[in-house]
Amino acid sequence: MNSRTMRALADKLANDQDQPNWPGGLLVVFRGSVGVPSRKVVGIIKAETDGGFQPVEIGLEYLKNLFMTRESKLYKIGFFLNGGGDDDALPGGWVSHVYDSHMTMANRDAAAHYFYGRFLGCSLPLNAARLTKTFYHAARKFINEADLSDEDKSDLFTSLYTYMKVDNTPTIHAATFASHYLPEDVRDAFSNYMKENDFPENAVPKDTSEIQGALKKRKVKFPGDILLTAPPDVYQRMVEVSTIDGDENDGQPQAWTKIVIKDRVREIE
């Protein structure tokens, strides 16, 4: 790999990393072969640098630009393995693997899109768990942004929880959720919104493994750091939310939210 190609890769990464608060580092590119029979590999590493000392005969020597040490916390790797064919051009015949120190099995969205997406041209695999998470978060955002009353939004969030957690149907289908739970006048908007968020029109297997934590609590947030939280089944049974007319502000009535909890206060801190 010649110096011109290396410089082009470094320039592309610098352009793709377009947020000034993202850390710089070193770009390492290597190529070789693995396995029997031999298969070509190409690797790209973006690693943050650090400094450190090493002992010398008398005193210490400071080393700059150390990378991928035991203490390294932030680095990203792209690894491309040739499938065994004669085509050297990416992506045909190559299998890609991406590692990001921020990415976990439970939160793959923490991976830096500028690296795996814009720079490497890869995408995360759309398995059932990821598609389920995509549907859940997109549906939540749509409900929050919809021109609906507080009561309707509260009911729709309960319906979404029921569809994800209680409904025994093994698949998720955007059109089915819309027809069963959404007001008729927002169903088309919901369908279009899900398409814009790359959720398929067909039914997909339901796998809630990546959203288990989100399904454990219902949260209602207000200005002033006011937060109401409860398990979804308790929320559905004991909480009522409605919109009421509040005091006027500059001659305009304000919409307030009324919350009724069907029990007495247990403790005040």
Side-chain angles (χ1 to χ4, degrees):
M1 191 170 295
N2 58 45
S3 59
R4 180 178 298 178
T5 301
M6 292 291 294
R7 178 176 292 277
L9 285 171
D11 288 343
K12 181 175 180 359
L13 178 58
N15 291 331
D16 291 336
Q17 187 172 313
D18 55 6
Q19 296 296 321
N21 59 318
W22 289 336
L26 289 178
L27 180 66
V28 180
V29 182
F30 62 90
R31 63 190 305 174
S33 60
V34 296
V36 179
S38 178
R39 299 168 67 185
K40 297 176 182 178
V41 296
V42 175
I44 300 176
I45 302 172
K46 188 250 178 173
E48 285 191 23
T49 58
D50 199 355
F53 291 89
Q54 71 170 359
V56 294
E57 186 173 346
I58 300 177
L60 297 172
E61 178 184 12
Y62 182 74
L63 301 177
K64 298 188 297 182
N65 295 328
L66 297 175
F67 67 99
M68 295 193 72
T69 65
R70 290 183 178 180
E71 300 302 318
S72 295
K73 295 180 179 179
L74 300 174
Y75 55 91
K76 312 175 193 310
I77 302 173
F79 188 83
F80 299 89
L81 177 65
N82 187 280
D86 296 328
D87 187 5
D88 285 342
L90 290 168
W94 293 73
V95 178
S96 62
H97 302 271
V98 175
Y99 171 82
D100 190 311
S101 56
H102 279 144
M103 182 169 58
T104 65
M105 288 298 294
N107 186 18
R108 294 182 297 170
D109 291 332
H113 182 264
Y114 79 83
F115 182 78
Y116 77 80
R118 292 201 297 269
F119 178 58
L120 295 181
C122 297
S123 60
L124 297 178
L126 295 177
N127 59 17
R130 182 166 180 79
L131 286 171
T132 300
K133 183 178 181 179
T134 296
F135 175 85
Y136 177 72
H137 286 293
R140 281 174 53 88
K141 188 173 181 181
F142 177 85
I143 294 169
N144 263 323
E145 296 177 352
D147 185 17
L148 299 169
S149 67
D150 292 338
E151 301 100 305
D152 289 340
K153 289 183 179 182
S154 180
D155 290 343
L156 286 177
F157 276 116
T158 298
S159 299
L160 179 60
Y161 169 81
T162 299
Y163 187 65
M164 303 302 294
K165 185 75 173 179
V166 181
D167 193 326
N168 291 324
T169 305
T171 59
I172 295 174
H173 189 210
T176 298
F177 175 79
S179 63
H180 285 185
Y181 299 109
L182 294 180
E184 188 172 354
D185 58 342
V186 301
R187 290 175 187 172
D188 288 343
F190 178 77
S191 177
N192 292 332
Y193 188 81
M194 298 308 290
K195 292 177 186 176
E196 292 170 1
N197 282 270
D198 299 323
F199 190 79
E201 295 185 57
N202 57 288
V204 301
K206 183 192 296 183
D207 181 350
T208 60
S209 59
E210 292 190 10
I211 57 172
Q212 286 297 317
L215 292 175
K216 289 180 179 179
K217 292 285 186 180
R218 283 284 304 275
K219 295 180 181 179
V220 182
K221 298 179 181 179
F222 298 88
D225 291 331
I226 299 174
L227 175 66
L228 170 65
T229 180
D233 56 333
V234 175
Y235 183 97
Q236 182 177 6
R237 187 174 69 253
M238 298 182 61
V239 178
E240 289 183 357
V241 178
S242 60
T243 302
I244 61 174
D245 291 334
D247 295 340
E248 290 189 357
N249 184 8
D250 294 331
Q252 298 295 323
Q254 301 298 299
W256 287 0
T257 301
K258 178 181 178 181
I259 295 179
V260 176
I261 298 177
K262 301 173 184 177
D263 207 335
R264 300 186 63 183
V265 174
R266 185 178 67 183
E267 183 177 352
I268 299 178
E269 297 183 359

